[in-house]
Amino acid sequence: MKDFINTLYRNHSLGYKFLLFISTTFLIVYLFPKSGKFKYNFEKGKPWQSENLYAPFNFAIKKTDAEIATEKQEIKDAVPLYFNLDSAVPNTVTNNFNREFKSIFPDSIQVYKRNVLKQAGTTIIDKLYHFGVLNDDYNYPDAKKVIILEGRVEKEQTQFGNLVEESQLTEIIVKVLEDNDLQSYKNEFTSLFFDLVEPNLEYNKEFSSRVLQEELDKVSFTRGSVERETLIISKGEVVEGIKFQILKSLESEYESQVWNKSNYLWIVFAYTLLVALALLMLLLFLRKYRMSVFENNVKVTFIFFNVAFMVLITTLVVNYNSQYIYVVPICILPLVLKAFFDARLGLFTHVLTVLLLGLVVPNSYEYMFLQIIAGIVTILTVSELYKRANLFISVGQITLIYIVAYFAFFVIHEGSVETLHWETFGMFVLCGLATLFVQPLIYAYEKLFGLVSDVSLLELSDTNTKLLKELSNKAPGTFHHSLNVANLAEAAANEIGANAMLVRVGALYHDIGKMKNPTYFTENQSTGINPHDELSPAESAHIIINHVIDGIEIARKNNLPDRVIDFIRTHHGTSVVYYFYMKEKEVNELIEIEDFMYPGPKPFSKETAILMMCDSVEAASKSLKEPTSTKIDDFVETILNKQMNDDQFLNANITFKEIQSIKKILKQKLTNIYHLRIEYPE
């Protein structure tokens, strides 16, 4: 049991990765739809590439959404509106008119004229209440069919235009008066009827809605059916018209049918296999080509989290409305991974993620093509993410690639541009704008996962930071040395394609440990007094070696990232403090060389190896007397060859060719520093 626990403890890192792999796989599978997927790919207007297809079972031919929408609209136009009639209102209005007529039109008017006026009022009432007066203004077409109910019984059918709205009252009064040559009485009749007229028709919304819904429920979503073993389409036949609709119906039947428990489990198992294979490829890639990332569980968790996060967002959008699928900024994934790791890892992860998403999105081939091309453009165009202009330019290029690729696919599918969906271009623009969110997202990831991006490195490279100011005050010589090393290292990194920003920051901070005992280092000795004269060689070596340990402590107190601390830890590797070792050896032949050796570790990346070279060359160059080009060449060769012979670069992924390039840069830079010129004759 004890051995088993010890084995688990020794392999806890692999165990964590296994749990992470399993949990991410099940999370992604949980997000995926649990239905069958049509095994054939087909596109409208293109030939059928597979073998002759026969109906595997009986199924109905589904109508298109446009056809169903048209049928429903026709029903909505045809179904009548129902209004409740209050039959007592006309009699009430007539009685009130007869009573008010006497007060409005006095007896002094001739009897004949009074009769004509009264007859005109009666005519107005008849016109108003022939079908009825509405209690509100309703916005319906005049030709809309209307059924008038009296006590829930149909009394009359007419058109909505025949019903009277209160706003039409003046118009009816004027028309009747004109027909009877009574225009001079317009004001009297208008004021009279505006007080008398009451609505007698009220819209029965509940009954109208129920009748409409009953008719809509009768709409058939299918038209005809296909019997089992019926030939649906032959190989090479163009997919169009009814053939296309039958194929879409068959695909829909596959994806929407109710699965029994056995089928459901098989589908989940199949999805699990596919997702597990994709994530396994990612782990194998990390193990083979990015071992430093693979061994860091935080970084592996970060990569898996981003993959699952993109799958989550995409599936949510697909479930809500798949037409918004291109609003999801998938290109954030390679941007983020390139910011924290490198372009190759970012592109590899992006491609695997897009392959996974191809299982859930519609038009999967088109989607995957667009996203992979956009991912490649992202990797190729985005450089130096900390420069804001670069990000805006790259996002513009990505958006343009989306638009061009989508346009090409649309023309291939439809054969014309007349029905081009311009709103999709707007979605690509929104996607580009959403991609700009990568900057705050990178900042959030830095805080959550403790990672370092080039943006943070740019902030750390500012010589006005608190720590570098303290270094310049306490150890001005060391600060000047660090600036020189930073310039040399940056030039060397650019020459071989390493991370120039990272190596520059590492160079600026690599000697901060000298702040603890600045006068024990020659570059800070301005008085001519050397404190080492009062110490034994072993004590002096101990102080010199300890500047690495002191530097790590200071860096941790000031919350410097681990990527920067690595430069402090490795910039001397396991080299020997040779001067004090030889001095001690003069008096004690039995000393151990390990006592005068830096604790290491040796540089384990191109960047840390570059810093070791530049630090040694810059420090030793101060001892050059009357430097010439030949002396500088020999000097650089000697120092770097000794480091190579001591196997200081054994753990760094740097090649002999790259070391030769670094030698060339160092020789050029030192020549420029010492202003060597051709000696002209007297």
Side-chain angles (χ1 to χ4, degrees):
M1 183 64 181
K2 186 177 180 181
D3 293 340
F4 176 73
I5 293 174
N6 290 336
T7 302
L8 282 180
Y9 180 77
R10 285 195 301 271
N11 297 288
H12 71 280
S13 181
L14 286 175
Y16 174 82
K17 291 181 183 65
F18 177 76
L19 291 175
L20 179 66
F21 171 78
I22 294 296
S23 59
T24 307
T25 300
F26 281 111
L27 173 62
I28 293 175
V29 172
Y30 173 77
L31 296 172
F32 279 5
K34 308 303 185 299
S35 62
K37 195 168 181 69
F38 198 46
K39 64 179 179 179
Y40 299 103
N41 289 319
F42 61 93
E43 296 176 13
K44 188 177 182 180
K46 298 188 73 174
W48 179 257
Q49 300 293 336
S50 305
E51 69 278 2
N52 294 352
L53 178 62
Y54 295 88
F57 44 74
N58 299 338
F59 66 93
I61 303 173
K62 294 188 176 181
K63 297 177 182 175
T64 65
D65 292 340
E67 289 174 332
I68 294 171
T70 301
E71 286 189 29
K72 288 186 174 181
Q73 188 59 48
E74 290 174 353
I75 289 174
K76 289 178 181 178
D77 294 339
V79 170
L81 303 173
Y82 289 85
F83 286 84
N84 293 329
L85 174 68
D86 187 349
S87 57
V89 170
N91 293 331
T92 303
V93 172
T94 300
N95 294 334
N96 292 337
F97 170 74
N98 292 331
R99 185 179 66 251
E100 295 295 329
F101 181 81
K102 295 177 181 179
S103 61
I104 298 295
F105 301 100
D107 295 339
S108 58
I109 299 175
Q110 296 178 1
V111 175
Y112 171 75
K113 194 71 170 180
R114 281 173 57 83
N115 291 337
V116 172
L117 290 171
K118 191 167 186 179
Q119 184 59 43
T122 305
T123 303
I124 291 171
I125 294 173
D126 291 341
K127 282 186 174 292
L128 289 173
Y129 293 102
H130 179 70
F131 292 106
V133 178
L134 295 168
N135 67 331
D136 201 353
D137 290 336
Y138 299 98
N139 187 22
Y140 292 108
D142 289 345
K144 182 72 174 175
K145 184 179 178 182
V146 169
I147 294 179
I148 297 174
L149 302 175
E150 185 176 4
R152 294 185 177 275
V153 177
E154 180 180 333
K155 179 184 179 184
E156 195 169 5
Q157 293 188 15
T158 184
Q159 292 182 334
F160 182 77
N162 294 328
L163 306 184
V164 178
E165 295 178 348
E166 290 186 0
S167 59
Q168 297 174 301
L169 179 58
T170 302
E171 179 185 342
I172 293 172
I173 292 172
V174 171
K175 181 69 170 60
V176 173
L177 294 178
E178 286 178 351
D179 292 343
N180 292 275
D181 196 20
L182 298 172
Q183 294 94 323
S184 59
Y185 294 95
K186 174 185 173 183
N187 292 336
E188 288 85 347
F189 274 93
T190 302
S191 61
L192 173 62
F193 277 101
F194 263 99
D195 292 333
L196 294 179
V197 172
E198 295 179 14
N200 67 331
L201 290 178
E202 183 180 1
Y203 178 50
N204 192 331
K205 184 177 180 180
E206 181 182 353
F207 189 72
S208 299
S209 299
R210 186 163 69 246
V211 172
L212 175 60
Q213 191 58 49
E214 288 175 357
E215 293 300 318
L216 290 176
D217 290 341
K218 295 177 183 178
V219 173
S220 173
F221 290 86
T222 62
R223 52 173 179 183
S225 62
V226 177
E227 299 294 324
R228 183 179 179 185
E229 299 300 331
T230 302
L231 176 64
I232 296 176
I233 193 168
S234 303
K235 185 174 183 179
E237 190 175 351
V238 176
V239 179
E240 58 184 358
I242 188 63
K243 297 286 185 183
F244 176 75
Q245 199 57 41
I246 292 173
L247 287 171
K248 292 297 290 184
S249 300
L250 180 59
E251 181 183 38
S252 176
E253 192 69 24
Y254 261 105
E255 295 180 354
S256 64
Q257 61 183 296
V258 179
W259 295 84
N260 58 41
K261 186 176 181 180
S262 174
N263 284 338
Y264 176 83
L265 293 176
W266 275 111
I267 291 170
V268 171
F269 176 70
Y271 271 132
T272 304
L273 284 181
L274 292 176
V275 175
L277 279 174
L279 296 180
L280 181 61
M281 294 305 104
L282 180 55
L283 281 176
L284 292 176
F285 174 85
L286 294 176
R287 191 174 185 276
K288 185 171 180 63
Y289 297 107
R290 299 292 183 272
M291 181 56 78
S292 60
V293 177
F294 180 79
E295 291 175 345
N296 189 319
N297 283 340
V298 173
K299 292 180 178 178
V300 176
T301 304
F302 173 73
I303 295 170
F304 275 59
F305 170 81
N306 276 278
V307 173
F309 183 61
M310 284 300 164
V311 174
L312 171 63
I313 294 177
T314 306
T315 51
L316 287 176
V317 172
V318 169
N319 292 336
Y320 174 70
N321 192 335
S322 61
Q323 71 176 8
Y324 299 124
I325 190 67
Y326 288 114
V327 176
V328 181
I330 298 296
C331 287
I332 280 183
L333 180 61
L335 275 175
V336 167
L337 295 182
K338 185 180 180 182
F340 289 113
F341 305 108
D342 60 86
R344 190 177 178 187
L345 174 57
L347 182 59
F348 189 87
T349 308
H350 175 73
V351 170
L352 284 181
T353 305
V354 171
L355 290 176
L356 288 175
L357 294 176
L359 298 172
V360 296
V361 299
N363 300 323
S364 56
Y365 176 76
E366 176 185 323
Y367 176 85
M368 290 190 293
F369 184 92
L370 260 65
Q371 298 296 2
I372 290 175
I373 289 294
I376 293 172
V377 171
T378 302
I379 292 297
L380 293 178
T381 60
V382 177
S383 59
E384 298 178 323
L385 193 60
Y386 55 87
K387 295 182 179 179
R388 291 171 294 179
N390 287 2
L391 180 59
F392 280 97
I393 293 170
S394 297
V395 165
Q397 293 171 332
I398 293 165
T399 305
L400 179 63
I401 290 297
Y402 272 129
I403 291 173
V404 171
Y406 173 78
F407 175 81
F409 269 108
F410 188 89
V411 173
I412 290 172
H413 292 165
E414 302 295 331
S416 70
V417 296
E418 294 177 358
T419 56
L420 194 63
H421 300 153
W422 295 102
E423 63 273 11
T424 306
F425 293 157
M427 293 181 193
F428 291 137
V429 174
L430 289 176
C431 178
L433 294 175
T435 305
L436 295 175
F437 185 69
V438 69
Q439 285 284 20
L441 189 63
I442 287 174
Y443 177 79
Y445 280 152
E446 286 181 333
K447 300 305 178 186
L448 287 173
F449 293 92
L451 300 172
V452 184
S453 70
D454 285 349
V455 180
S456 293
L457 292 176
L458 180 65
E459 294 173 357
L460 290 171
S461 67
D462 183 5
T463 54
N464 288 315
T465 58
K466 178 183 175 183
L467 194 54
L468 290 180
K469 272 191 171 182
E470 186 180 355
L471 177 64
S472 67
N473 291 329
K474 291 184 177 179
T478 300
F479 178 72
H480 185 260
H481 159 73
S482 298
L483 286 175
N484 290 337
V485 173
N487 292 331
L488 292 174
E490 185 176 18
N494 283 324
E495 181 69 18
I496 67 170
N499 190 332
M501 180 62 70
L502 177 61
V503 76
R504 178 176 182 82
V505 173
L508 288 173
Y509 291 90
H510 79 283
D511 268 345
I512 56 174
K514 292 182 179 180
M515 286 193 294
K516 194 168 185 180
N517 296 298
T519 56
Y520 284 87
F521 300 90
T522 55
E523 66 266 24
N524 300 312
Q525 295 170 0
S526 57
T527 60
I529 299 173
N530 190 345
H532 290 289
D533 295 339
E534 301 175 2
L535 301 175
S536 68
E539 290 173 328
S540 295
H542 180 72
I543 292 174
I544 297 296
I545 291 171
N546 269 1
H547 88 272
V548 173
I549 307 300
D550 295 335
I552 294 172
E553 291 178 358
I554 293 171
R556 294 206 182 280
K557 285 180 182 178
N558 287 271
N559 298 316
L560 288 186
D562 287 339
R563 289 177 77 185
V564 177
I565 295 175
D566 287 340
F567 287 91
I568 302 173
R569 188 183 291 115
T570 62
H571 74 277
H572 284 295
T574 57
S575 59
V576 177
V577 186
Y578 200 72
Y579 175 79
F580 292 111
Y581 170 68
M582 295 307 295
K583 280 191 69 174
E584 182 69 20
K585 199 170 184 181
E586 290 174 2
V587 296
N588 183 6
E589 290 286 341
L590 301 178
I591 61 168
E592 297 288 340
I593 193 171
E594 286 81 7
D595 295 335
F596 292 80
M597 188 180 292
Y598 283 97
K602 297 176 181 178
F604 47 78
S605 67
K606 288 181 182 180
E607 289 77 15
T608 50
I610 289 171
L611 178 61
M612 172 179 270
M613 298 180 204
C614 296
D615 181 43
S616 302
V617 168
E618 202 285 330
S621 68
K622 298 294 190 293
S623 63
L624 279 175
K625 297 178 180 178
E626 298 181 0
T628 64
S629 295
T630 304
K631 279 185 179 181
I632 288 175
D633 289 354
D634 294 340
F635 166 77
V636 171
E637 291 286 346
T638 300
I639 291 179
L640 267 59
N641 287 341
K642 185 177 187 307
Q643 290 177 339
M644 291 172 64
N645 293 334
D646 291 342
D647 295 332
Q648 293 299 324
F649 309 132
L650 199 63
N651 298 330
N653 58 335
I654 193 167
T655 64
F656 285 115
K657 182 179 179 181
E658 289 170 336
I659 293 175
Q660 289 303 119
S661 298
I662 293 170
K663 286 180 180 178
K664 181 186 72 174
I665 289 295
L666 292 177
K667 292 172 185 176
Q668 290 175 357
K669 289 293 181 181
L670 287 177
T671 301
N672 293 335
I673 289 171
Y674 287 104
H675 306 291
L676 296 180
R677 291 181 173 86
I678 299 172
E679 294 184 9
Y680 294 97
E682 293 290 338

